[in-house]
Amino acid sequence: MNRNFSAAYPGSFDPPTNGHLDIIIRASNLFSKIIVAVTDNINKRHTFTLQERIDLLRESVANLKNVEVLPFSGLLADYLEKINSFVVIRGLRALSDFEYEFQMALMNRKLNKKIETIFLTPDQSYTFLSSSMVKEISMLGGSTKSFVPKCVELELKKRFGNR
Ligand code: PNS
């Protein structure tokens, strides 16, 4: 573990999936503290409110003592300066993620040259998993049991009344 070294894992987490959780666990084994930084992605229409996403994440990571879930708004680069933490963790599932992630990593470093982005790959069983697919499955009556933490599964059931 990188002693006394924190990293931020930013995202919209709408909703959090087991893939996100897998990345959080991997990151928490590498750094002394992980801040899961939750925000609204202005390019997406969210299903869950910011507070709902935070609550679901907090419940999902309750057993991880070095993980904190916090909201942020505005530029990630500005937020990292505020919390004095300049390592960004992002999950990379497949080649299809690469272009967007690469662009974001370079843009963040352009905005603040102290920022380094580290890409972690989730367990291969999660490479196909995304929040939008989970929502689609739930909306169409499918079970999300094996894709999301229990609290998220219950919330999806409440919202979409699926199995
Ligand atoms: O989980 P997502 O939606 O893929 O996460 C994207 C997110 C929220 C990390 C990204 O959109 C972001 O950093 N938003 C904050 C605003 C910002 O800094 N935009 C410039 C990014 S280069």
Side-chain angles (χ1 to χ4, degrees), residues 10-13 39 41 44 72 74-76 90 100 104 107-108:
S12 48
F13 307 101
T39 193
N41 183 335
K44 294 178 181 171
F72 81 98
L75 283 175
L76 175 64
R90 290 286 288 175
Y100 169 64
M104 200 156 66
M107 182 54 84
N108 278 325

Side-chain angles (χ1 to χ4, degrees), residues 28 47 99 145:
S28 74
T47 303
E99 202 170 331
K145 196 180 168 72

Side-chain angles (χ1 to χ4, degrees), residues 9-14 20 37-44 46 72-78 88 90 100-101 103-108 111:
Y9 178 37
S12 48
F13 307 101
D14 186 40
H20 293 130
V38 192
T39 193
D40 289 328
N41 183 335
I42 57 171
N43 300 306
K44 294 178 181 171
H46 295 303
F72 81 98
S73 56
L75 283 175
L76 175 64
D78 291 342
V88 173
R90 290 286 288 175
Y100 169 64
E101 295 296 337
Q103 206 179 358
M104 200 156 66
L106 290 179
M107 182 54 84
N108 278 325
L111 293 172

Side-chain angles (χ1 to χ4, degrees), residues 85-114:
S85 184
F86 299 97
V87 174
V88 173
I89 302 290
R90 290 286 288 175
L92 206 53
R93 291 165 299 189
L95 203 57
S96 51
D97 283 341
F98 182 75
E99 202 170 331
Y100 169 64
E101 295 296 337
F102 188 63
Q103 206 179 358
M104 200 156 66
L106 290 179
M107 182 54 84
N108 278 325
R109 196 158 61 192
K110 192 84 187 159
L111 293 172
N112 186 334
K113 62 178 186 312
K114 287 184 269 184

Side-chain angles (χ1 to χ4, degrees), residues 112-128:
N112 186 334
K113 62 178 186 312
K114 287 184 269 184
I115 298 174
E116 293 292 351
T117 301
I118 294 180
F119 296 109
L120 296 179
T121 45
D123 186 272
Q124 60 182 16
S125 58
Y126 300 130
T127 50
F128 60 90

